[in-house]
Amino acid sequence: MGISRLHKIFAAVLSGGLALALIASISGLNEGDGLSRQVRASIEESGVKSEVTAVLLNFRGYDTLLEIAVLLLALIGVTALAEGETAPEKADVRDPALSGLAELILPLMVLASGYLLHAGTYAPGGAFQAGAVLAAAILLARLAGIAEPERRKGALAGIAAIGFAVFLSAALAPLLLGARFFDYPGQAAHAIIVVVEGALAISTALILYLLFSECSSIRQWRGRKGEAE
Amino acid sequence: MTQWMAYSVCGLLLFTIGLYGTIAYGHVFRKVLSFNIMGSGIFLFLVSIAGRAPGHPDPVPHAMVLTGIVVTVSATAFALALLRKMNSETGEESLGPGQEYRSGKEGE
């Protein structure tokens, strides 16, 4: 117990000291507009009207490309951990209230997801928000017993890679035309971003759903081998 | 104290509260939760820093936070999968000996 208390005191002193140092360091920050002037100056070339989307998919596209790669890597990791585990055969417990609610709001969730995807080019919204809502819709359908747990996970995981594949090809294509990496040609930029956003939304939704379903298929500890539970 | 400064101080405090949690508790789920609190603190800090400009917020930190949220979700899922795997193999839920939040199963 003594060691544990010492450990906590150490943690408290460390994080308290760090908090003070960090707060002291931001008091020196002045007002400034960061990079927003540069973003506004070149928003015309980006192909979209929303500044955040322009930064995400054009100006700092490599960030987003690596992000979807990280998502895919996490899915690969979780799938590897769940290897050999079998999802429960029976569908999840059916709850009449839950499935009633799900039937009511599932169409609305799909609609909201489509709207967020569409809005991404000119207003707050975009591929990841749309994908998250869609993933929540798929999960709700699964938990409410409307959709069965999928049998062909490999095919789903393949579709989940579409976002990374489409985005990477969009980033590499300008190289063939003699431009630089991620240097979308001016007129095509809007179309490219819309296509990439669609693919990213599908990928995000499927990856988030698969992360949940793979993670939940790992069983709880059932005692040492040969021992009754 | 300006508005953005109040929010960024909150973000920094959340970050250090999360840091305390990751060090002080042995249960892996508590560590993962604390890590998420640290991440939320960083996001709050970045978003409030973006509001330093009078009028128009800086879109670059916003885009970074958006990217960060998705990465956090996937890293959390991976951490939870590791935790479940550890539990499924050993019955343990904590790291290291002498932690008070044990699963209590190894005595069987």
Side-chain angles (χ1 to χ4, degrees):
Chain A
M1 201 59 198
I3 292 177
S4 173
R5 184 164 295 163
L6 213 62
H7 186 80
K8 285 197 173 159
I9 291 173
F10 166 75
V13 169
L14 180 76
S15 33
L18 187 66
L20 290 178
L22 286 173
I23 290 169
S25 73
I26 64 155
S27 62
L29 274 178
N30 297 319
E31 291 213 334
D33 49 5
L35 293 168
S36 54
R37 199 168 299 152
Q38 283 98 314
V39 170
R40 251 175 296 161
S42 36
I43 190 85
E44 294 294 321
E45 305 166 25
S46 71
V48 286
K49 292 197 187 74
S50 161
E51 290 180 0
V52 174
T53 306
V55 171
L56 266 183
L57 292 175
N58 200 334
F59 304 146
R60 287 179 68 88
Y62 49 88
D63 260 5
T64 314
L65 181 64
L66 289 178
E67 169 194 8
I68 193 77
V70 167
L71 265 180
L72 215 52
L73 276 178
L75 178 61
I76 293 170
V78 172
T79 312
L81 286 173
E83 185 71 47
E85 310 271 359
T86 44
E89 280 298 309
K90 62 176 178 62
D92 298 281
V93 185
R94 276 170 203 259
D95 177 345
L98 185 62
S99 57
L101 177 75
E103 276 166 24
L104 272 180
I105 67 171
L106 270 178
L108 291 177
M109 289 175 90
V110 176
L111 193 67
S113 162
Y115 168 74
L116 280 171
L117 182 61
H118 169 70
T121 55
Y122 59 87
F128 293 106
Q129 294 90 324
V133 174
L134 201 57
I138 303 174
L139 262 182
L140 185 63
R142 158 88 185 268
L143 292 178
I146 295 173
E148 294 289 309
E150 72 292 328
R151 293 276 169 267
R152 300 176 57 208
K153 282 183 185 159
L156 269 189
I159 302 172
I162 191 177
F164 182 65
V166 168
F167 202 4
L168 187 63
S169 356
L172 289 175
L175 288 177
L176 296 177
L177 303 172
R180 279 165 300 175
F181 193 53
F182 268 116
D183 195 1
Y184 305 146
Q187 302 87 348
H190 183 76
I192 292 174
I193 287 179
V194 168
V195 170
V196 166
E197 281 221 87
L200 284 180
I202 294 171
S203 258
T204 311
L206 277 181
I207 292 175
L208 290 179
Y209 167 68
L210 284 173
L211 282 175
F212 173 86
S213 90
E214 292 288 324
C215 208
S216 62
S217 73
I218 301 175
R219 289 174 313 153
Q220 270 197 314
W221 197 60
R222 297 221 183 124
R224 304 248 174 268
K225 283 205 176 95
E227 240 175 76
E229 195 170 339
Chain B
M1 188 181 263
T2 50
Q3 197 182 22
W4 69 265
M5 220 178 231
Y7 280 113
S8 52
V9 167
C10 286
L12 294 177
L13 287 178
L14 270 181
F15 175 80
T16 46
I17 290 170
L19 181 69
Y20 172 78
T22 42
I23 301 174
Y25 297 110
H27 195 291
V28 179
F29 188 66
R30 285 170 181 253
K31 281 189 190 290
V32 173
L33 272 184
S34 309
F35 230 79
N36 268 280
I37 292 171
M38 281 171 84
S40 305
I42 294 172
F43 297 150
L44 181 55
F45 178 73
L46 279 175
V47 168
S48 53
I49 281 290
R52 277 186 304 154
H56 212 78
D58 185 357
V60 177
H62 281 251
M64 281 163 73
V65 168
L66 201 55
T67 309
I69 288 171
V70 181
V71 170
T72 306
V73 169
S74 60
T76 304
F78 184 55
L80 292 179
L82 280 173
L83 168 60
R84 286 189 75 124
K85 192 70 181 176
M86 182 170 93
N87 175 261
S88 128
E89 297 284 323
T90 65
E92 274 297 321
E93 285 159 13
S94 300
L95 291 177
Q99 297 293 345
E100 58 254 64
Y101 299 100
R102 289 186 160 277
S103 58
K105 279 181 182 169
E106 73 267 50
E108 285 176 17

